[in-house]
Amino acid sequence: MITTKKLTLVCILAAGLTAASASATERSTVLGGDGAIYQGKVGAYKDLFPKGGDTAPSNTVVALEITQAGGTVQRVLVPYTKNADVERSPAVLFEDVSKTVFLVWEAPVDALKSTLMLASFDGERWSAKPILITGNPYSSKSSPRLAVTRDTVPVAGQSEAAATERTRTILHIVWTEDAAPGNYEVLYSPVILEEGTYLGWHPVYRLSQLASSGSLGSEFAPPLDLLVSPVIQQGSDGRTLVVGFAYGAERRINTVVIDVLPEELGQLSETARSNIIDIGRGKYPASRQSLAEAVQQKIIEHGGAFHADVIAYIAERIFDQIMADRGGNDDDLIALGETARSNIIDIGASFSGRGLRDRGRSDKARIEQVDYPDPKPAGTVPHLIQMRVVSSRPTPQIGTTNLRLFLSDSGEEALIAWTEKDRVVYRLSQDDSWATPREIKLSDSLTLEKAYQILEQRVRNR
């Protein structure tokens, strides 16, 4: 289903298109491409900056700590946190291509409400102002998680030699909201930068509602640590993202794949819609055959970004749709154009999974049509975000200490691990059920961190 929201553009490449993307995921401490280690810190200003004078000594601030490869440590104050607010939960991400650090943190509004703030640091200066991220303005936000995807889109010039590329960076933010006492929901928002410039606003989607089945999945309630700790990671092909989270209201562990569909798909669908209307106006339905042939040819001409077999298939499907239509006037022609546009988007979305049959539930997939805010820049077209629920498993019986959720690159498999005394216990799921718990005994040579690295690698490689 395609729904429409006012939104800025986001786009990464689907199968059948030729371009490159880069992706990274959030960690509490991250290693940059230059060998430096970046960490977000929260504390009293006097403790983080003993010799500073930018704000009151007792004020809580956020700082970015940079440890260079040679061991030199530098702390940089996040300038937007100099007020009396008590900030919490900083999360850091380093984007290799632009060599930029992105930092998101929780900024309280009052005792019961908070927002998220997003800022970037390029090594010398901070972004002009932070971006406000919020879902329900009356709820408390926590556990922000970050991932980034980046891609380029060709921009036509007056000649082939004059053609350029436009770069877009998409910051994907996932967080938890306390919707009601004890009822936590997971939300997602893409923040889009074109050539480094924020487009001005962003949407918010409730992943918990998307994954909801309306039924109780288990007799076991997810522990609190699982409810407030969503996971976001790179998908199987470097351009999709996988989000995993627990939903307490239904006692389920859910995974959602997020795929920002290619801009070329939006351009192609808009071209087909306008061609159907322009070519067919005043001639439809008497010239249905010639309309179908003309539109088929236009799709092929404008589908240079797609593999030849893919664009031929799309063109043939739209040809068949026009021939099968039984409308009789211009209003019907407009409806035909809209239907053709939707069909092209649906076909293109199916190729985003490399043409494989979706193993998730088709009724739990959404394509959100997004558009530039008015006034729209000339030549822009709406763009598309696909969200698919890949799995929704009942919560198994698990422990609560050092609890971690690991996901495969496709999101189809999951592993939950926790500690009991001197060992790690884990349960693996490859379908809707969970395997019998297994154990890894910890030792001086096999620490908890190493054990979790082994488990993460095990499920990611499946």
Side-chain angles (χ1 to χ4, degrees):
M1 179 182 76
I2 301 175
T3 58
T4 303
K5 291 178 182 280
K6 289 192 73 176
L7 173 67
T8 50
L9 164 70
V10 293
C11 178
I12 60 180
L13 299 175
L17 296 176
T18 56
S21 65
S23 178
T25 52
E26 173 271 339
R27 300 176 181 88
S28 57
T29 302
V30 297
L31 177 66
D34 55 357
I37 297 173
Y38 299 88
Q39 183 177 10
K41 287 184 170 288
V42 172
Y45 181 75
K46 63 182 179 181
D47 296 330
L48 294 177
F49 300 93
K51 298 180 180 180
D54 293 309
T55 187
S58 60
N59 278 355
T60 299
V61 297
V62 179
L64 178 65
E65 184 171 281
I66 306 170
T67 304
Q68 302 293 344
T72 304
V73 178
Q74 174 191 11
R75 275 189 190 152
V76 182
L77 175 67
V78 180
Y80 328 105
T81 64
K82 294 188 292 185
N83 53 32
D85 292 341
V86 181
E87 291 84 4
R88 296 185 291 266
S89 306
V92 182
L93 180 146
F94 184 87
E95 205 277 310
D96 290 294
V97 177
S98 63
K99 301 185 182 339
T100 299
V101 179
F102 294 96
L103 184 69
V104 63
W105 68 92
E106 181 186 355
V109 176
D110 57 34
L112 300 176
K113 296 177 289 187
S114 64
T115 62
L116 299 178
M117 307 297 288
L118 173 68
S120 63
F121 181 71
D122 66 3
E124 296 183 359
R125 63 184 65 85
W126 290 94
S127 47
K129 61 180 180 179
I131 297 172
L132 174 67
I133 310 292
T134 186
N136 179 357
Y138 301 104
S139 70
S140 177
K141 284 82 177 164
S142 62
S143 304
R145 302 288 188 264
L146 279 172
V148 61
T149 54
R150 181 184 176 96
D151 75 314
T152 57
V153 177
V155 177
Q158 293 182 347
S159 65
E160 184 175 344
T164 60
E165 291 183 334
R166 175 162 44 88
T167 301
R168 287 161 301 175
T169 301
I170 305 102
L171 298 168
H172 305 266
I173 305 174
V174 174
W175 70 94
T176 301
E177 282 194 1
D178 190 356
N183 182 18
Y184 297 92
E185 290 191 339
V186 172
L187 286 80
Y188 159 69
S189 181
V191 175
I192 306 97
L193 310 174
E194 285 206 351
E195 298 294 338
T197 302
Y198 174 50
L199 293 184
W201 71 296
H202 49 273
V204 173
Y205 303 110
R206 295 188 174 273
L207 297 185
S208 298
Q209 292 184 5
L210 174 64
S212 175
S213 64
S215 62
L216 198 64
S218 172
E219 62 180 297
F220 304 108
L224 179 62
D225 283 355
L226 204 58
L227 289 172
V228 298
S229 301
V231 174
I232 184 169
Q233 66 184 42
Q234 183 176 319
S236 57
D237 55 9
R239 58 176 179 76
T240 55
L241 297 168
V242 180
V243 180
F245 60 94
Y247 187 31
E250 296 185 356
R251 298 184 177 182
R252 294 181 181 272
I253 311 298
N254 302 308
T255 56
V256 175
V257 171
I258 296 172
D259 189 353
V260 185
L261 300 177
E263 180 174 332
E264 289 88 340
L265 183 62
Q267 293 171 341
L268 184 67
S269 64
E270 286 291 328
T271 296
R273 183 191 66 81
S274 60
N275 282 333
I276 287 174
I277 296 172
D278 294 341
I279 297 172
R281 196 176 298 277
K283 301 178 182 179
Y284 183 77
S287 302
R288 183 179 285 112
Q289 175 79 29
S290 61
L291 172 61
E293 291 174 349
V295 173
Q296 182 182 31
Q297 184 60 35
K298 289 288 186 182
I299 290 174
I300 293 173
E301 290 174 359
H302 287 84
F306 297 82
H307 288 296
D309 290 342
V310 172
I311 196 62
Y313 175 75
I314 293 174
E316 183 178 351
R317 287 286 300 272
I318 300 306
F319 176 91
D320 292 342
Q321 178 194 330
I322 295 173
M323 292 301 298
D325 186 74
R326 290 294 177 263
N329 55 48
D330 285 353
D331 288 340
D332 295 328
L333 191 66
I334 294 173
L336 175 62
E338 292 294 341
T339 302
R341 179 181 180 279
S342 296
N343 285 342
I344 290 174
I345 291 170
D346 290 340
I347 295 169
S350 69
F351 284 110
S352 71
R354 299 187 183 274
L356 297 175
R357 186 185 301 276
D358 180 17
R359 297 181 186 178
R361 291 178 52 184
S362 59
D363 62 331
K364 292 297 179 182
R366 290 171 57 185
I367 298 175
E368 292 286 345
Q369 177 179 313
V370 299
D371 206 348
Y372 286 89
D374 292 328
K376 301 175 186 177
T380 59
V381 297
H383 294 264
L384 311 156
I385 300 176
Q386 180 176 235
M387 292 171 282
R388 295 183 294 113
V389 179
V390 175
S391 66
S392 183
R393 299 177 170 92
T395 303
Q397 186 174 13
I398 52 179
T400 59
T401 306
N402 296 316
L403 193 58
R404 290 284 301 275
L405 171 65
F406 301 101
L407 304 172
S408 66
D409 290 346
S410 66
E412 295 171 1
E413 299 177 8
L415 186 151
I416 297 179
W418 65 95
T419 57
E420 292 180 0
K421 297 182 179 178
D422 60 347
R423 66 199 63 209
V424 172
V425 185
Y426 67 93
R427 301 188 71 165
L428 178 67
S429 178
Q430 296 176 267
D431 46 36
D432 290 337
S433 61
W434 295 87
T436 302
R438 296 185 177 182
E439 298 180 351
I440 298 176
K441 189 169 183 179
L442 301 175
S443 64
D444 292 341
S445 60
L446 184 57
T447 63
L448 176 60
E449 180 181 1
K450 288 183 179 179
Y452 277 177
Q453 288 174 352
I454 292 170
L455 292 175
E456 180 179 21
Q457 194 65 32
R458 183 181 189 278
V459 71
R460 294 280 309 252
N461 287 342
R462 296 185 68 87

